[in-house]
Amino acid sequence: MLQDLIDNFADWESLVRVWPLLAQGLWLTAKLALVALPLGMLAGLLVGLGCALGGRAVRVGLLCWIDLFRAFPVLVLLVLIYYGLPFLGLTLPAFAATVLALVLNNSGYYGEIFRAGLGSVPHGQREAAAALSLTPLRAMLLVVLPQALRAVIAPLASNSLELVKATSIAAMVALPELLRSARVAQEQTYNPTPLMAAAVLYFVLLWPFAHAVARLERRMLVASGGGR
């Protein structure tokens, strides 16, 4: 029984054969995360700042943006971008389409995080900045935003972890990231070992990040008095 499990899910020869393919998929997964993560966070920051500084019409529009992209499944969004836009005359490569889907989806999540963080800073901070003759934009960037970032670092980290995990949607458009590469490798070896190896790689790479996020959330909960 144990030998059957090893032969089917931990076959060393199969793993050695397909390791270059898995390594290529791992690198592409990393590239997706490295591109989509800062862009998504920047888009969310702009949405949050727009909510804080814009007029009523701007705030309403951006709140609708946040609700729309938080409610829209990222996989469906990727399908619409990759397979739907060509009907409008715009065709994006699989990598660009995946990044765009991740950025749009996470602009809603990051936008809500930044909006809530900026709104949590006492209004007196802005009044004090105005008393120092700072413009609303400079007061927001130099006074309010740094305080808001300290308050939202845990949810930012948590959402970043979710974004990295969501890079696996690229398999939907045949982009050879880690999951897609593992599935191709499985078809080549007629053995599920590559899928198990991909699962182990995801765990090894993301568990320290997830553990750090959990510790950060507990620390901030205690600091805010919620852990008493």
Side-chain angles (χ1 to χ4, degrees), residues 53-228:
L53 294 172
R56 177 177 174 80
V58 172
R59 287 197 300 272
V60 170
L62 290 176
L63 287 174
C64 291
W65 175 284
I66 290 172
D67 290 341
L68 172 65
F69 285 110
R70 289 176 70 194
F72 220 94
V74 64
L75 184 59
V76 177
L77 187 59
L78 174 59
V79 170
L80 289 176
I81 292 172
Y82 188 72
Y83 295 105
L85 288 183
F87 289 98
L88 301 177
L90 178 60
T91 301
L92 294 178
F95 186 92
T98 304
V99 168
L100 180 59
L102 291 169
V103 169
L104 288 176
N105 178 255
N106 282 273
S107 69
Y109 287 99
Y110 282 126
E112 176 61 18
I113 291 171
F114 281 117
R115 186 196 67 80
L118 293 170
S120 69
V121 177
H123 189 70
Q125 296 292 319
R126 301 188 195 189
E127 294 176 344
L132 296 174
S133 300
L134 294 179
T135 63
L137 179 60
R138 287 176 60 85
M140 180 63 63
L141 296 178
L142 299 179
V143 178
V144 179
L145 182 58
Q147 298 179 65
L149 287 177
R150 288 195 293 270
V152 300
I153 187 170
L156 285 178
S158 179
N159 193 72
S160 298
L161 176 61
E162 295 302 317
L163 186 153
V164 175
K165 290 191 289 186
T167 56
S168 60
I169 65 167
M172 184 68 184
V173 292
L175 193 65
E177 47 72 63
L178 182 55
L179 179 60
R180 172 69 179 177
S181 297
R183 291 170 60 185
V184 171
Q186 180 192 16
E187 295 170 359
Q188 293 178 356
T189 60
Y190 303 101
N191 188 289
T193 296
L195 288 175
M196 290 299 299
V200 171
L201 286 172
Y202 273 120
F203 177 79
V204 170
L205 290 174
L206 296 179
W207 182 81
F209 191 14
H211 183 64
V213 169
R215 291 186 60 184
L216 181 60
E217 289 175 339
R218 289 195 296 269
R219 186 178 302 174
M220 296 193 70
L221 184 62
V222 171
S224 65
R228 295 177 184 174

